[in-house]
């Protein structure tokens, strides 16, 4: 098992067959080519040839003298493919995407480097970001080379690793190693992506102001069509719009207590599929979308997909105890992650979950019920 398991998102998430196919076509998912309008469209395929862009960079950077073979480990719904390259000096990990700009992987490399500087949790060392050529309708794309970490099957789920990871994540959030970077502000040195959702990491002096911008961005695209399909919600879904505006208006009071919260380096997309463990180093985190924010935010996405045990949370809170208002803030941060899922996949069930969360967060007053 290598780095980067898939979330298993795909059909059945509210997309029609045609829209799902369009998403896959846009990302270049498939084998040597994809059928578009009845025609097999070629696309870049890795090879061992010296002029292959990935092989060329491995040799140029002297990461190896000989690449013996490569193996596809995973293919994710967003077009990312992850591969293991076997060389004369061991293995390398390569993530590639046939349509993403190299800035996307550069931002990920910055995230990984930032996490490594805290010396709190193991993450793969980024080695190079390169470009892939345009082939047919796909491209240009990009790739990221990192050190290869041999993950144990289901290693992240083992009780001992869960407890260790909980403590390590808390130590990451509490770290002072990057104080000279954030300088008490919220944001990050580069913008990045949460799945396919752009994250504006412009520095803000207030966490409430920063998170308000994030929530507003999610709410604003609920009624907009994406490049691969229809808008997540119809324009006449007025109940959703009304509740979303109430949540936005009440964010300062909902996030009360965070006015002076220390900016923590967040992983940014910490679901169980972005964790692993090696036999030597223990827990591993990868695929980050880092920024400096409220430490509690990283905990919210864990409830969406499960996989984190009570031992994890006990170990985390032994380092960073829960603060007053924790449960209310978790509902707000969980709503943000469900809004992101809604905007990505348009799943009616996720819409209903968002609606219920908003009703829980801003319950109707007696006057509104009349």
């Amino acid at each position: 098992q290598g780095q980067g398991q898939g979330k298993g998102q795909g059909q059945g998430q509210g997309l029609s067959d045609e829209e799902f196919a369009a998403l896959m076509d846009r990302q270049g998912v498939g084998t040597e080519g994809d059928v578009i309008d009845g025609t097999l469209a070629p696309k870049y395929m890795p090879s061992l040839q010296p002029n292959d862009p990935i092989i060329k960079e491995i040799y140029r950077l002297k990461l190896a003298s000989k690449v013996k073979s490569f193996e596809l480990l995973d293919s994710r719904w967003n077009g990312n493919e992850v591969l293991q390259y076997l060389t004369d000096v061991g293995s390398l990990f390569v993530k590639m995407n046939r349509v993403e700009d190299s800035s996307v992987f550069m931002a990920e490399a910055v995230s990984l480097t930032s996490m490594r500087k805290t010396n709190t949790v193991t993450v793969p060392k980024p080695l190079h970001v390169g470009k892939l050529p345009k082939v047919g309708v796909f491209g240009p794309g990009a790739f990221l080379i990192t050190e290869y970490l041999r993950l144990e099957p289901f290693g992240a789920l083992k009780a001992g690793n869960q407890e260790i990871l909980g403590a390590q994540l808390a130590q990451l959030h509490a770290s002072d190693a990057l104080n000279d970077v954030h300088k008490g502000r919220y944001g990050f040195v580069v913008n990045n992506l949460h799945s396919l959702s752009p994250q504006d990491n412009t520095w803000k002096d207030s966490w409430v102001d920063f998170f308000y911008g994030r929530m507003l961005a999610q709410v604003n695209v609920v009624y907009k069509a994406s490049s691969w399909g229809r808008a997540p919600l119809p324009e006449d879904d007025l109940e959703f719009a009304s509740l979303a505006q109430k949540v936005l208006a009440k964010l300062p009071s909902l996030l009360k207590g965070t006015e002076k919260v220390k900016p923590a380096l967040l992983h940014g997309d910490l679901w169980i599929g972005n964790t692993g463990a090696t036999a030597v180093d223990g827990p591993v985190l990868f695929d980050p979308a880092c920024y400096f924010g409220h430490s509690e935010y990283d905990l919210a996405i864990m409830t969406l997909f499960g996989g984190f045990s009570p031992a994890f949370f006990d170990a985390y809170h032994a380092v960073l105890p829960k603060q007053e208002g924790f449960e209310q803030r978790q509902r707000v941060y969980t709503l943000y992650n469900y809004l992101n899922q809604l905007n990505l996949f348009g799943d009616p069930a996720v819409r209903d979950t968002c609606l219920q969360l908003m009703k829980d967060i801003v319950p109707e007053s007696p006057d509104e019920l009349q």
Side-chain angles (χ1 to χ4, degrees):
Q1 180 176 338
Q3 296 154 236
Q5 305 114 315
K7 281 187 187 177
Q9 301 284 11
Q11 286 174 289
Q13 299 295 327
L15 297 177
S16 68
D17 290 343
E18 293 78 10
E19 289 166 336
F20 181 77
L23 172 59
M24 295 298 99
D25 286 342
R26 175 182 178 272
Q27 298 300 330
V29 174
T31 54
E32 294 186 5
D34 292 318
V35 177
I36 300 178
D37 295 330
T39 303
L40 185 64
K43 62 185 181 183
Y44 165 76
M45 294 300 294
S47 77
L48 294 176
Q49 297 300 314
N51 63 346
D52 176 87
I54 298 175
I55 297 295
K56 185 186 299 184
E57 291 303 281
I58 290 175
Y59 292 158
R60 184 183 69 82
L61 297 167
K62 295 181 171 54
L63 299 178
S65 299
K66 177 69 174 178
V67 177
K68 301 176 182 179
S69 63
F70 61 85
E71 175 188 5
L72 179 67
L73 301 177
D74 192 15
S75 182
R76 288 197 168 186
W77 69 272
N78 61 357
N80 287 342
E81 294 186 1
V82 293
L83 305 98
Q84 176 186 359
Y85 277 65
L86 182 62
T87 80
D88 58 330
V89 291
S91 291
L92 293 169
F93 178 82
V94 175
K95 180 195 289 188
M96 71 174 198
N97 190 302
R98 294 179 177 85
V99 299
E100 289 288 11
D101 187 81
S102 59
S103 62
V104 174
F105 286 141
M106 185 61 71
E108 180 174 342
V110 172
S111 290
L112 290 170
T113 300
S114 298
M115 294 178 71
R116 285 175 60 85
K117 286 186 175 181
T118 68
N119 292 313
T120 54
V121 62
T122 300
V123 299
K125 179 181 180 180
L127 302 173
H128 181 66
V129 173
K131 296 181 179 180
L132 296 178
K134 181 176 182 179
V135 178
V137 298
F138 300 118
F143 63 92
L144 167 66
I145 304 175
T146 75
E147 67 173 324
Y148 181 79
L149 301 176
R150 186 172 298 280
L151 303 185
E152 295 183 299
F154 308 106
L157 300 179
K158 294 181 178 178
N161 284 331
Q162 285 274 301
E163 184 175 354
I164 294 171
L165 181 58
Q168 289 180 340
L169 181 66
Q171 291 160 6
L172 170 70
H173 289 165
S175 173
D176 292 328
L178 299 174
N179 285 0
D180 60 335
V181 177
H182 65 72
K183 299 177 181 177
R185 302 167 299 169
Y186 307 90
F188 202 48
V189 293
V190 294
N191 295 329
N192 47 29
L193 295 176
H194 180 186
S195 295
L196 289 179
S197 300
Q199 292 195 145
D200 180 358
N201 291 323
T202 302
W203 294 107
K204 298 286 186 181
D205 293 326
S206 160
W207 167 245
V208 173
D209 289 346
F210 181 88
F211 190 71
Y212 180 91
R214 283 290 179 82
M215 285 287 283
L216 181 63
Q218 291 288 355
V219 171
N220 281 346
V221 297
V222 166
Y223 299 100
K224 295 181 180 179
S226 67
S227 60
W228 59 82
R230 65 185 184 275
L233 295 181
E235 292 182 358
D236 60 357
D237 192 340
L238 302 181
E239 181 185 18
F240 193 97
S242 175
L243 281 168
Q245 291 305 315
K246 290 178 182 178
V247 171
L248 287 169
K250 290 182 177 294
L251 264 186
S253 61
L254 292 170
L255 298 182
K256 184 179 180 181
T258 66
E259 294 83 1
K260 296 183 180 180
V261 68
K262 175 184 178 294
L265 182 64
L266 306 180
H267 177 282
D269 190 12
L270 195 50
W271 70 290
I272 194 65
N274 284 340
T275 71
T278 72
V280 176
D281 299 310
V284 175
L285 298 182
F286 43 84
D287 288 357
C290 287
Y291 62 94
F292 293 98
H294 187 196
S295 57
E296 293 175 359
Y297 173 86
D298 255 351
L299 305 180
I301 194 173
M302 298 176 183
T303 63
L304 272 69
F305 304 103
F308 294 90
S309 70
F312 170 92
F313 293 102
D314 289 345
Y316 180 92
H317 290 301
V319 179
L320 291 178
K322 291 182 182 180
Q323 301 299 308
E324 184 179 356
F326 174 83
E327 285 75 16
Q328 175 174 268
R329 291 188 295 271
Q330 282 296 287
R331 285 195 291 270
V332 174
Y333 299 151
T334 299
L335 171 62
Y336 174 87
N337 283 286
Y338 273 115
L339 284 171
N340 188 56
Q341 289 292 301
L342 177 62
N343 286 322
L344 289 172
F345 304 109
D347 187 348
V350 176
R351 180 263 183 197
D352 294 344
T353 299
C354 290
L355 204 66
Q356 187 57 56
L357 272 171
M358 289 190 290
K359 289 179 179 179
D360 292 342
I361 292 169
V362 285
E364 294 176 301
S365 67
D367 291 339
E368 292 173 316
L369 294 174
Q370 292 178 357

